Amino acid sequence: MTKASTPASDQTTSKTGQASEHAERLTNLESSYSGTISREEGLALFRDMTLGRRFEDKCAEMYYRGKMFGFVHLYNGQEAVSSGVIGAMKLKHDWFCSTYRDHVHALSAGVPAREVMSELFGKETGCSKGRGGSMHLFSKEHHLLGGYAFIGEGIPVALGAAFTSRYKKDALGDINSDAVTAAFFGDGTCNNGQFFECLNMAQLWKLPIIFVVENNKWAIGMAHDRATSDPEIWRKAKAFGMKGEEVDGMDVLAVRAATERALKRARAGEGPTLLECLTYRFRGHSLADPDELRSEKEKEFWANRDPLLSLERHLNEKGLVSSDELRSIEKEIDSEVLDAVEFALAAEEPSPSDLTKYIWAD
Amino acid sequence: MEGTLLFNALREAIDEEMAKDPHVCVIGEDVGQYGGSYKVTKDLYEKYGELRVLDTPIAENSFTGMAVGAAMTGLRPIVEGMNMGFLLLAFNQISNNMGMLRYTSGGNFKIPAVVRGPGGVGRQLGAEHSQRLEAYFHAVPGIKIVACSTPTNAKGLMKAAIRDDNPVLFFEHVLLYNLSEKLPEDDYICALDQADLVKEGKDITILTYSRMRHHCLKAVQQLQEQDIDAELIDLISLKPFDMETIARSIRKTHRVIIVEECMKTGGIGAELIALITEQCFDDLDSRPVRLSSQDIPTPYNGKLENLTIIQPHQIVEMANQIVNEGK
């Protein structure tokens, strides 16, 4: 069943009054590229997004060369979300909670590429000491609450971190406790009970949390509009009296601006925001996914909206940076990623004698 | 001094630990204004406020996960399962997150959380409210499991569980909340990993936990009258088992019966008997035996319910049989 055959109702119409496809919704959103950005901010975003992209490309290469195993879910195409959200937040202060598609969130949060790559190679130098793997990246130092491999299970954990922020402020009297938690998850998760349960509690207790939906339109092979009664996820916030916002998830400045609005509310004690970022993954669900269901036309539409190209175009148009500068950043990033691979290859595996280490806290 | 009821012993433990450490908080359904469905958190809401004694919506999966996130970021939450059976809905958060997360995170995070509440077969509560989840959770790595059985050990174990930096599943029994006992006056704790040698004996070892401790005590008295001197051990710690205490007893008596309220298949006794067979085989003079609940949903009808769980006379009969088999 296509959306076109679905009767339009108030619940499923977009701003234009028509039931709309994912792509149509995107084109209806205003671009934020008219906003201002400094040269430094632009370079930082470009650097972070490029690191995300190049790191994931290298992962694919390493996976196919047999250097990493298991389920590996790459983030290509969605970089504007990670860089836009996390880039607006305070590193090592705010908290981040991710899913199985967590490499790039970890990088944006400041976990060194060496530690992430080491983890993917199963090495002791990995951020989870080689015990977690691709879907279980953790870093207490960088306030990464983890990659959670099952759908929805990270949302309550993120809610708990947000609860701690409020608890420290209102029960322990720490007036400086203003950490906000960003919970990342996908469109498929928004049909799961934990999503609704946590939206309810977050709004009920005015917890400082941003629910970041990375709506990439596909839950493995289940198209979003085949799985949900109202494809416009941001509207579901309204049922809880919560602020909901939809944003062009291919536009890093739009994502960043929306995050800044949500952060302001959260830090002011006004509670959570549901932020739906319309985005797309350029690769299959995982490296094991033959990706046979998505049409070439659809892929082409989104490829034309590559968030890295859009940012570059904007930075050029504004005369903030030259393409040469960006190419040289890409070279630096490539070296950093290569260094991460070499570091990870050379690193030690966990010692067999440490097999049961980390089960218990002392 | 008057005796303290078991639910009040638990309440005292939580109150004292909350007074001592402001990071200790309670999360669950009706724990606050209502005081807990078995009054284990009575008046704590008034004393500590709505954040430290947090009344949650009925969303076990999510508030249990929230406790995980709170524990990861510095709090020491106590989650109440209004009935432990409800926590089947939170199985994923208890297993994947509470139990496994410290390991999968390579030691990045610790989860100092207690999950507590009433379980066991009560009086005609029906199948869903009569569950013994200790067996279901037993295979989950990274969680400690204890079962209290007296007001004294309830208080001491609860305090130890709250202070422990690991997740602890704390089983209370719905029929033991009104047991009364005079408690020690000092600030004592009970070790989470030590069995309780309830009564020394030389002829046969009886291993049990939770409410069955009291059935076993009755049985042990009757056995005494029949000149069978049974040793009774309350396991207390269901994970890990205190194999040292267990093995020491079996070396003495050479016979063992396990009495449990969980179902026989995949139960606590199943694991325990396997360990005893592996570790104490040469010390045994007779087959180790389990007395467990029937492998059925607990029936509502009172007579059928009684037939579902082990009764004291069955323990006496089995002990006689085992002791005489060995002669």
Side-chain angles (χ1 to χ4, degrees):
Chain A
M1 187 170 68
T2 64
K3 279 305 297 175
S5 65
T6 307
S9 72
D10 284 341
Q11 288 293 306
T12 56
T13 51
S14 71
K15 286 169 185 168
T16 58
Q18 299 293 316
S20 56
E21 291 282 2
H22 198 65
E24 285 174 44
R25 289 175 59 194
L26 185 74
T27 53
N28 290 334
L29 288 171
E30 286 175 20
S31 169
S32 73
Y33 280 117
S34 52
T36 55
I37 181 175
S38 73
R39 175 182 149 80
E40 287 68 34
E41 289 170 325
L43 286 174
L45 288 173
F46 185 83
R47 178 177 290 277
D48 194 53
M49 289 167 70
T50 303
L51 175 61
R53 177 70 56 88
R54 302 288 169 119
F55 186 94
E56 296 291 66
D57 285 342
K58 186 58 79 178
C59 285
E61 184 191 328
M62 291 294 132
Y63 179 87
Y64 292 124
R65 281 172 55 187
K67 299 292 183 191
M68 62 177 74
F69 306 92
F71 297 118
V72 178
H73 309 81
L74 301 185
Y75 196 72
N76 297 49
Q78 303 181 203
E79 295 87 351
V81 181
S82 180
S83 299
V85 172
I86 298 174
M89 299 176 78
K90 280 192 223 166
L91 300 190
K92 298 188 178 178
H93 175 80
D94 293 320
W95 292 91
F96 312 103
C97 193
S98 184
T99 65
Y100 47 83
R101 201 181 302 284
D102 56 353
H103 308 170
V104 178
H105 295 140
L107 294 170
S108 291
V111 184
R114 281 180 165 194
E115 285 187 28
V116 180
M117 195 64 86
S118 295
E119 188 59 35
L120 304 180
F121 283 39
K123 299 299 182 73
E124 182 69 23
T125 49
C127 57
S128 305
K129 302 281 189 287
R131 270 71 164 181
S134 170
M135 300 182 279
H136 300 293
L137 302 177
F138 291 87
S139 173
K140 191 175 184 189
E141 182 192 352
H142 297 94
H143 282 209
L144 178 65
L145 292 164
Y148 291 85
F150 283 8
I151 287 302
E153 64 173 349
I155 306 178
V157 175
L159 192 79
F163 176 72
T164 296
S165 292
R166 214 201 125 190
Y167 187 99
K168 284 182 174 169
K169 192 178 189 177
D170 294 332
L172 303 183
D174 176 3
I175 52 164
N176 296 317
S177 175
D178 71 345
V180 177
T181 302
F184 294 93
F185 49 93
D187 45 283
T189 302
C190 298
N191 303 311
N192 185 286
Q194 291 171 99
F195 167 71
F196 297 100
E197 291 177 3
C198 289
L199 254 61
N200 177 49
M201 287 190 272
Q203 180 68 14
L204 179 68
W205 299 320
K206 296 281 190 289
L207 299 184
I209 185 166
I210 309 174
F211 299 101
V212 184
V213 186
E214 304 198 46
N215 182 349
N216 65 19
K217 207 188 165 204
W218 290 86
I220 306 187
M222 185 65 162
H224 178 53
D225 55 8
R226 289 182 63 224
T228 195
S229 57
D230 180 359
E232 298 200 33
I233 296 163
W234 68 285
R235 289 179 185 273
K236 301 183 189 202
K238 198 178 172 190
F240 301 92
M242 189 188 298
K243 176 73 179 172
E245 199 172 335
E246 69 176 334
V247 66
D248 180 350
M250 307 303 268
D251 175 345
V252 68
L253 298 187
V255 173
R256 196 180 64 148
T259 305
E260 282 167 351
R261 289 190 285 277
L263 282 170
K264 201 174 162 191
R265 280 193 293 275
R267 295 208 210 279
E270 291 165 22
T273 299
L274 176 62
L275 182 62
E276 181 186 7
C277 305
L278 298 173
T279 184
Y280 201 72
R281 55 172 157 78
F282 289 169
R283 292 176 176 272
H285 167 72
S286 73
L287 288 171
D289 173 17
D291 192 18
E292 292 165 340
L293 288 173
R294 304 186 305 168
S295 72
E296 286 308 316
K297 191 182 158 209
E298 179 180 294
K299 290 178 190 174
E300 193 185 320
F301 174 88
W302 290 93
N304 286 332
R305 290 170 176 270
D306 186 319
L308 272 159
L309 298 180
S310 301
L311 177 63
E312 177 169 349
R313 204 157 44 235
H314 175 75
L315 294 174
N316 282 335
E317 281 168 9
K318 292 283 172 187
L320 292 171
V321 291
S322 67
S323 289
D324 286 350
E325 278 179 285
L326 298 181
R327 298 295 82 75
S328 106
I329 286 176
E330 285 168 350
K331 276 189 187 147
E332 284 169 35
I333 297 290
D334 283 342
S335 306
E336 186 182 341
V337 172
L338 204 58
D339 165 78
V341 168
E342 284 166 1
F343 176 84
L345 283 172
E348 294 289 324
E349 293 198 39
S351 163
S353 64
D354 285 339
L355 177 64
T356 59
K357 197 177 171 183
Y358 304 125
I359 288 278
W360 303 111
D362 297 328
Chain B
M1 185 186 161
E2 288 202 358
T4 303
L5 299 170
L6 190 144
F7 77 87
N8 269 328
L10 291 166
R11 187 195 165 283
E12 279 182 21
I14 294 169
D15 187 13
E16 288 170 21
E17 293 304 304
M18 287 186 80
K20 193 157 44 188
D21 181 352
H23 297 91
V24 177
C25 55
V26 179
I27 293 172
E29 294 153 0
D30 273 327
V31 294
Q33 293 192 352
Y34 192 79
S37 54
Y38 291 89
K39 302 302 170 195
V40 171
T41 53
K42 190 173 185 297
D43 297 332
L44 297 182
Y45 179 89
E46 288 74 15
K47 186 169 178 183
Y48 295 106
E50 62 179 12
L51 278 179
R52 294 195 64 193
V53 186
L54 186 73
D55 278 321
T56 67
I58 304 165
E60 289 84 1
N61 189 355
S62 292
F63 71 67
T64 305
M66 190 178 101
V68 173
M72 288 170 75
T73 50
L75 304 187
R76 305 184 77 84
I78 303 163
V79 174
E80 173 172 307
M82 180 182 264
N83 177 292
M84 283 304 243
F86 300 166
L87 296 182
L88 284 172
L89 290 153
F91 204 111
N92 181 69
Q93 301 285 356
I94 292 172
S95 170
N96 281 358
N97 306 150
M98 270 187 189
M100 305 203 310
L101 194 147
R102 179 170 172 77
Y103 188 82
T104 51
S105 78
N108 262 288
F109 290 95
K110 60 180 183 183
I111 322 282
V114 180
V115 178
R116 55 151 291 271
V121 177
R123 292 219 169 82
Q124 295 188 262
L125 301 177
E128 290 189 272
H129 283 73
S130 306
Q131 304 197 56
R132 288 117 309 160
L133 293 197
E134 62 271 20
Y136 293 2
F137 283 114
H138 206 240
V140 176
I143 52 175
K144 298 182 177 180
I145 305 178
V146 296
C148 65
S149 53
T150 68
T152 301
N153 68 34
K155 182 173 180 184
L157 288 167
M158 178 56 72
K159 294 184 79 139
I162 293 168
R163 293 179 197 179
D164 200 282
D165 274 344
N166 295 286
V168 179
L169 291 190
F170 192 102
F171 286 92
E172 298 152 19
H173 197 289
V174 69
L175 292 182
L176 298 184
Y177 279 128
N178 288 325
L179 281 185
S180 179
E181 196 173 36
K182 190 179 173 214
L183 300 182
E185 283 173 33
D186 59 326
D187 177 23
Y188 70 99
I189 61 167
C190 299
L192 293 175
D193 57 357
Q194 275 175 27
D196 179 13
L197 179 53
V198 180
K199 181 203 163 285
E200 286 195 60
K202 60 178 174 31
D203 294 331
I204 186 166
T205 298
I206 300 176
L207 304 174
T208 191
Y209 66 92
S210 189
R211 182 183 176 225
M212 283 292 145
R213 170 184 175 137
H214 303 282
H215 275 22
C216 288
L217 267 173
K218 282 181 195 159
V220 164
Q221 281 161 9
Q222 291 174 36
L223 286 166
Q224 198 82 45
E225 291 158 14
Q226 298 166 20
D227 286 333
I228 294 175
D229 184 15
E231 178 147 303
L232 177 60
I233 292 174
D234 184 338
L235 295 168
I236 301 287
S237 177
L238 305 184
K239 190 174 186 179
F241 292 124
D242 177 2
M243 286 308 292
E244 204 180 308
T245 299
I246 293 165
R248 194 186 306 126
S249 179
I250 291 172
R251 277 197 298 274
K252 182 168 66 174
T253 66
H254 309 294
R255 297 177 183 88
V256 63
I257 296 177
I258 299 161
V259 182
E260 61 186 356
E261 199 178 282
C262 65
M263 288 183 277
K264 194 164 203 167
T265 302
I268 297 295
E271 179 60 27
L272 190 53
I273 219 162
L275 283 171
I276 288 169
T277 310
E278 283 174 356
Q279 296 180 21
C280 311
F281 189 78
D282 292 340
D283 294 312
L284 288 169
D285 284 347
S286 59
R287 63 200 167 100
V289 172
R290 280 173 294 164
L291 294 175
S292 324
S293 289
Q294 299 288 315
D295 281 326
I296 58 171
T298 309
Y300 164 68
N301 175 276
K303 281 181 189 163
L304 294 183
E305 185 181 69
N306 276 335
L307 290 171
T308 305
I309 60 173
I310 292 299
Q311 302 298 334
H313 72 88
Q314 293 170 286
I315 305 167
V316 172
E317 286 159 18
M318 183 55 78
N320 264 298
Q321 197 180 326
I322 294 295
V323 167
N324 291 322
E325 267 179 18
K327 281 178 181 169

